[in-house]
Amino acid sequence: MTPEQQKAHEALSFIIPILDKLNLRWCITGGFACYAYGVPRNLTDIDIDIEVSKDDPAFTEFLLKVLGGSAIASKTRAENASARSSCFSTPKCTIC
């Protein structure tokens, strides 16, 4: 396993239990999905589609958990990421 693949597995091991605990429906898309099906790809990020409105409190709770707590800075980052509907990096997920 390459270092990038190891980082991806570690990131998913961190993120997936949070999604499951919040009962959010999700699926992996993009390059990592191709990798999972055996198509060789360079991994630079993990695309996860979550079936929830960005205005749903469960989505904000997910972002807060992934960003590492309920500190005001993390809440602001979560709100900003939600408002932009964009990707963000987490302290525990260096591949994103």
Side-chain angles (χ1 to χ4, degrees):
M1 183 177 294
T2 68
E4 291 79 17
Q5 292 166 338
Q6 181 62 35
K7 286 181 184 180
H9 284 276
E10 289 171 7
L12 289 173
S13 295
F14 171 70
I15 291 171
I16 289 173
I18 296 170
L19 291 166
D20 289 343
K21 184 175 181 180
L22 294 171
N23 294 316
L24 295 172
R25 290 174 44 110
W26 57 272
C27 68
I28 296 173
T29 60
F32 195 85
C34 292
Y35 162 75
Y37 279 98
V39 178
R41 297 279 302 255
N42 290 333
L43 299 176
T44 58
D45 66 354
I46 301 171
D47 301 304
I48 302 174
D49 288 348
I50 304 170
E51 187 180 55
V52 67
S53 165
K54 67 179 183 176
D55 299 321
D56 189 310
F59 184 65
T60 301
E61 185 177 351
F62 165 73
L63 291 176
L64 287 172
K65 288 182 181 296
V66 170
L67 292 171
S70 59
I72 292 173
S74 291
K75 185 167 180 9
T76 301
R77 286 180 68 199
E79 289 168 350
N80 289 342
S82 177
R84 289 190 316 268
S85 296
S86 64
C87 182
F88 57 93
S89 295
T90 71
K92 295 184 181 180
C93 176
T94 57
I95 196 168
C96 298

